[in-house]
Amino acid sequence: MIYEGDVMSDLFIIGNGFDIAHGLKTSYYDFHQFLKDNCKNMPYIGAVELVSQDSENKIDGMIVYEPVEYLDFFQIIIDQTDGPDWKNFEEALGRLDFSDILRDFGTSYDTDSIKYLNERSIEPIYQAVLTVKKMFPLWVKSILIDNRIKKKDIIQEMLKKPHYILNFNYTDTLEKIYGEKNVFHIHGNQHSSIIFGHGNYVDEDFDDEDFEIYPRAGSYLNMMKAELKKPVDRIIKRAETQNFLASIKDVMKIYSYGFSYGSVDLPYIVEICRHIDTHKVTWYFNDYSSDIEIQKYQKIVKKCGFEGCFSTFHV
């Protein structure tokens, strides 16, 4: 519950580790399984991978393209994800370089027929991006939260004090299990629109001329880049976010639980530090994290403008 007035309050920053600790299957591997279960009967989306030029797979002198399913796009991201957290997945999403993929799959057969096939191969990649993005909120809404999920007594006790909750999760775990009424889901929740993407804001646009054998490739790559970005600046400027930030000025303790301090979310931490007197605040990390991880988090928070003390708490 959000309290107003002169009472000193706590701020809880909740990440996916909170749901994982409550037994919910909310990892990106679980999302991958959801895609497997729900996309397996979808038709092939077209030609993405090119068969070797030296193969026998040619029709009328042209190379045959192998069809690739929707799942393959997601698998590419998982293969490039280094770590178990959603922040690792988002960072891998931001590092995807479709231009390299296209160049790797290109052929020197610079004919109108090959150009036509190359152009046909780009649209399915874009459709795969849109499909994964469309399936994500469907997966979020499918996550079941019922009375089989047990609340943690320590968390219940901590929530008895005046507090605010900034929730980076999309689930209603706090509302349904702990009875919380005022949880600020900064990226949406199971009953609202969902914001999904990464925070790699490299300001680089592609030109169609950069991909001679792939007509319109630059245009498609720019559209994919835009589709996969999380609009952090716009989220911060929203009235709801500004109202929340204005309300936390009385915070004296900050507890982060299951939050991994990914680069995409650090602008929010900067804003929190701007809206409180950090010299008077203690920032608590869950001791489930290793000492090395906690030290890394401390450095990140300091870079975001925090000048208070650090401690840990146990659940």
Side-chain angles (χ1 to χ4, degrees), residues 187 198-199 201 230-237 264-265 267-268:
H187 293 149
H198 63 82
Y201 285 86
K230 188 177 288 182
V232 175
D233 289 343
R234 191 169 75 237
I235 296 170
I236 290 174
K237 293 176 182 178
V264 66
D265 296 322
Y268 304 123

Side-chain angles (χ1 to χ4, degrees), residues 104-311:
D104 289 343
F105 290 146
T107 173
S108 60
Y109 293 161
D110 192 10
T111 66
D112 289 340
S113 297
I114 291 297
K115 282 187 176 181
Y116 172 74
L117 285 178
N118 286 347
E119 183 174 6
R120 290 283 304 274
S121 74
I122 301 170
E123 169 67 19
I125 299 176
Y126 178 58
Q127 291 301 323
V129 171
L130 296 181
T131 298
V132 170
K133 187 174 179 179
K134 180 181 70 175
M135 295 299 288
F136 185 78
L138 297 180
W139 170 65
V140 168
K141 295 178 189 300
S142 75
I143 298 171
L144 180 63
I145 301 173
D146 56 26
N147 56 14
R148 289 175 295 181
I149 300 172
K150 303 301 181 183
K151 67 178 63 174
K152 297 181 180 294
D153 293 338
I154 296 178
I155 295 296
Q156 182 74 72
E157 194 65 27
M158 294 173 71
L159 291 174
K160 291 180 179 179
K161 302 175 183 178
H163 62 270
Y164 308 89
I165 298 176
L166 176 61
N167 199 345
F168 285 85
N169 296 340
Y170 305 99
T171 56
D172 295 333
T173 311
L174 281 158
E175 292 90 336
K176 292 185 176 180
I177 304 304
Y178 292 93
E180 286 295 313
K181 303 296 184 184
N182 294 296
V183 180
F184 182 41
H185 291 267
I186 196 162
H187 293 149
N189 65 4
Q190 292 178 296
H191 307 292
S192 68
S193 59
I194 298 295
I195 299 173
F196 169 72
H198 63 82
N200 185 359
Y201 285 86
V202 177
D203 187 16
E204 175 188 0
D205 286 330
F206 298 101
D207 294 323
D208 289 340
E209 290 75 16
D210 294 337
F211 307 91
E212 183 179 355
I213 62 174
Y214 282 97
R216 298 186 63 207
S219 300
Y220 273 109
L221 290 169
N222 289 329
M223 287 191 291
M224 285 186 274
K225 184 177 69 171
E227 288 289 345
L228 292 174
K229 278 187 179 179
K230 188 177 288 182
V232 175
D233 289 343
R234 191 169 75 237
I235 296 170
I236 290 174
K237 293 176 182 178
R238 289 186 313 180
E240 300 94 326
T241 307
Q242 288 299 310
N243 290 339
F244 177 82
L245 291 169
S247 72
I248 64 172
K249 61 183 181 296
D250 62 337
V251 163
M252 297 296 290
K253 296 179 181 180
I254 298 176
Y255 296 90
S256 67
Y257 191 164
F259 184 66
S260 54
Y261 296 89
S263 58
V264 66
D265 296 322
L266 295 187
Y268 304 123
I269 304 302
V270 171
E271 288 299 313
I272 289 173
C273 292
R274 287 183 60 244
H275 284 79
I276 61 176
D277 185 354
T278 65
H279 295 89
K280 301 178 180 179
V281 175
T282 301
W283 199 297
Y284 293 83
F285 301 99
N286 186 355
D287 64 5
Y288 176 81
S289 300
S290 68
D291 291 342
I292 294 177
E293 285 179 310
I294 291 175
Q295 290 174 8
K296 181 178 69 174
Y297 295 157
Q298 289 177 358
K299 291 180 181 178
I300 291 173
V301 173
K302 285 182 179 179
K303 287 183 178 180
C304 290
F306 185 76
E307 298 181 351
C309 300
F310 294 107
S311 189

Side-chain angles (χ1 to χ4, degrees), residues 88-103:
N88 305 120
F89 175 81
E90 290 171 342
E91 289 167 359
L93 196 64
R95 289 193 305 267
L96 281 180
D97 192 338
F98 291 102
S99 60
D100 280 350
I101 294 173
L102 292 179
R103 290 189 181 99

